[in-house]
Amino acid sequence: MYNRIAVLRKERGLSRKELADKIGVNFQTVGYLEREEYNPSLDLAFRISECFDLPVEFIFSTKPMKPLSEELLNLKRGV
Amino acid sequence: MNKTKHTRRFAVLINYFSIVVILVLFYLVRLLGLNPIFLAFEIIPLITVVLSFRHAFVKTGIWKMTYASSKKLDEREIQVVFKAMNISYSLFAITTLVIIYIFILSGLGQIDAVLAVCLLYIAHILPASIIAWNEKE
């Protein structure tokens, strides 16, 4: 499973520890999630989406995700 | 491989190697009929066991994680500990069986206290060793 956790965390200026505390996991687990070496449970995925205040499908995907800048550009162009 | 993982793995290897040295020294003295004063040298691998244990398991928090209540662990940690426990159960059963067979076939007699203590120690550190070996951070 692919995700945007690393980008979203950095965008919000959070450390791994801060994000880990917010979603109720160990900071090492955040590292595993960011490297896409661990797939979260549905419960954790929803907690992450609530933390970033974004829909879960915007953070997680079964297909490789496009960079956010590219998605924004596509939105602007109305693609 | 990052430096932390490398040093942790090295400490795990040192720990097991020290246990082997303790056993080899003990059986050398016993089987070759050497002066029991040689057993005093056991203190060196014993200190190495303590130091490498501290470095590989205590400082890294792996020991605490292995024996912590599942309520204190997150979902990934629970999975990691469960997998490590599973592997160590099989590994320990096979190791103990092999040792018992070796003792029976070679006519060494019964397993003595030193070997029993070492086996008990290994039974306790095996899950933590597997975690220390595999964890990336």
Side-chain angles (χ1 to χ4, degrees):
Chain A
M1 188 135 73
Y2 301 89
N3 69 67
R4 286 190 173 118
I5 297 173
V7 172
L8 293 169
R9 177 178 65 79
K10 282 171 194 162
E11 218 178 56
R12 281 157 174 78
L14 292 168
S15 69
R16 278 186 181 176
K17 178 87 179 72
E18 286 166 335
L19 176 62
D21 290 341
K22 282 189 173 194
I23 59 176
V25 295
N26 192 304
F27 76 96
Q28 285 160 329
T29 300
V30 173
Y32 278 85
L33 286 165
E34 287 185 352
R35 291 194 301 272
E36 293 164 347
E37 288 171 349
Y38 173 70
N39 292 334
S41 66
L42 201 56
D43 175 50
L44 181 56
F46 273 101
R47 268 187 279 151
I48 294 167
S49 80
E50 275 168 23
C51 173
F52 290 126
D53 202 18
L54 288 166
V56 81
E57 66 271 19
F58 188 80
I59 306 171
F60 299 97
S61 170
T62 50
K63 290 171 194 159
M65 298 176 104
K66 287 178 190 168
L68 281 174
S69 53
E70 199 180 318
E71 290 230 2
L72 269 173
L73 200 66
N74 286 343
L75 267 173
K76 211 174 176 185
R77 284 175 180 161
V79 179
Chain B
M1 190 177 2
N2 62 47
K3 200 184 168 191
T4 321
K5 188 178 177 181
H6 186 76
T7 49
R8 204 173 52 214
R9 280 186 171 185
F10 185 68
V12 172
L13 286 178
I14 292 288
N15 199 267
Y16 280 91
F17 180 72
S18 308
I19 298 165
V20 172
V21 171
I22 289 172
L23 286 172
V24 167
L25 198 63
F26 176 76
Y27 281 105
L28 274 179
V29 171
R30 205 183 107 175
L31 297 173
L32 300 177
L34 299 174
N35 193 334
I37 199 88
F38 281 105
L39 288 177
F41 288 110
E42 296 272 33
I43 195 77
I44 299 163
L46 210 61
I47 291 169
T48 324
V49 166
V50 174
L51 292 178
S52 54
F53 177 86
R54 193 169 161 262
H55 192 84
F57 309 122
V58 180
K59 272 186 173 179
T60 53
I62 291 171
W63 186 255
K64 213 174 165 185
M65 176 182 158
T66 315
Y67 294 103
S69 148
S70 58
K71 283 175 191 167
K72 289 181 181 169
L73 302 173
D74 67 38
E75 57 177 55
R76 187 191 67 85
E77 289 172 323
I78 291 171
Q79 274 186 27
V80 167
V81 172
F82 180 75
K83 196 179 162 191
M85 290 282 188
N86 246 337
I87 296 169
S88 23
Y89 180 78
S90 315
L91 262 178
F92 185 73
I94 294 164
T95 313
T96 313
L97 211 65
V98 168
I99 289 171
I100 290 170
Y101 273 122
I102 289 171
F103 266 72
I104 292 169
L105 296 174
S106 63
L108 278 168
Q110 287 179 331
I111 290 174
D112 41 55
V114 176
L115 185 60
V117 168
C118 285
L119 279 173
L120 279 173
Y121 173 72
I122 288 170
H124 271 84
I125 64 161
L126 251 178
S129 312
I130 291 163
I131 296 170
W133 195 267
N134 292 327
E135 280 290 273
K136 288 190 176 170
E137 286 177 27

